Amino acid sequence: MKVCGIELKGSEAILALIDKNGQDIEHVSIATKKIPLGDGECCVQVKSFKETFESFCRENAVDKIVIKKRGKKGDYAGGADTFKMEGIIQVSDVPNVILISPQSISAMQKKSNLELPAALNKYQHTAFYTGVAGADK
């Protein structure tokens, strides 16, 4: 099963793709590592984000999407664009989209001795851990 872990940050969706087969987890190298929203108030750019994201999912045969939750209020609240991207992703063609809390991701990191793949960029680490933590949910 191919799982796409996503961290929504600023006006970008940061992606990491894993292939989970039983207990085996393997990082899948992808050309598209970020998908920018651009101007969230521009209908054309919002539609472009949706089309680019759905194209990415089709090309990589994504079975499941796991998004790291953001706070709705307080110091760690997500921006408006992150919630807009989340909504677009939730109504995408991929039928299995879940949200996972930062606490669940941290707990998974502590329990497992999962090593980060060398091919992964530093900014993708959270997206990778998000995908791994939500793969079995």
Side-chain angles (χ1 to χ4, degrees), residues 17 39 62 68 90 94:
L17 192 61
D39 181 1
V62 174
K68 179 185 174 191
Q90 285 180 311
V94 178

Side-chain angles (χ1 to χ4, degrees), residues 29-51:
S29 186
I30 50 177
T32 304
K33 294 171 176 53
K34 294 180 183 180
I35 299 177
L37 173 62
D39 181 1
E41 295 179 7
C42 175
C43 184
V44 172
Q45 290 186 19
V46 172
K47 286 180 181 178
S48 175
F49 175 84
K50 181 180 187 297
E51 290 165 5

Side-chain angles (χ1 to χ4, degrees), residues 12-99:
E12 292 181 322
I14 301 169
L15 314 171
L17 192 61
I18 64 168
D19 195 1
K20 182 155 178 30
N21 189 0
Q23 292 302 316
D24 296 333
I25 294 171
E26 182 180 330
H27 171 251
V28 178
S29 186
I30 50 177
T32 304
K33 294 171 176 53
K34 294 180 183 180
I35 299 177
L37 173 62
D39 181 1
E41 295 179 7
C42 175
C43 184
V44 172
Q45 290 186 19
V46 172
K47 286 180 181 178
S48 175
F49 175 84
K50 181 180 187 297
E51 290 165 5
T52 303
F53 183 78
E54 288 180 344
S55 175
F56 167 82
C57 290
R58 275 191 306 275
E59 290 168 9
N60 293 288
V62 174
D63 299 306
K64 183 177 194 174
I65 296 170
V66 184
I67 303 171
K68 179 185 174 191
K69 282 186 189 177
R70 290 140 348 279
K72 293 182 180 162
K73 56 186 172 180
D75 291 339
Y76 298 103
D81 285 345
T82 64
F83 290 105
K84 188 174 283 194
M85 290 185 291
E86 179 183 296
I88 292 168
I89 293 167
Q90 285 180 311
V91 298
S92 70
D93 293 338
V94 178
N96 196 357
V97 179
I98 65 165
L99 300 173

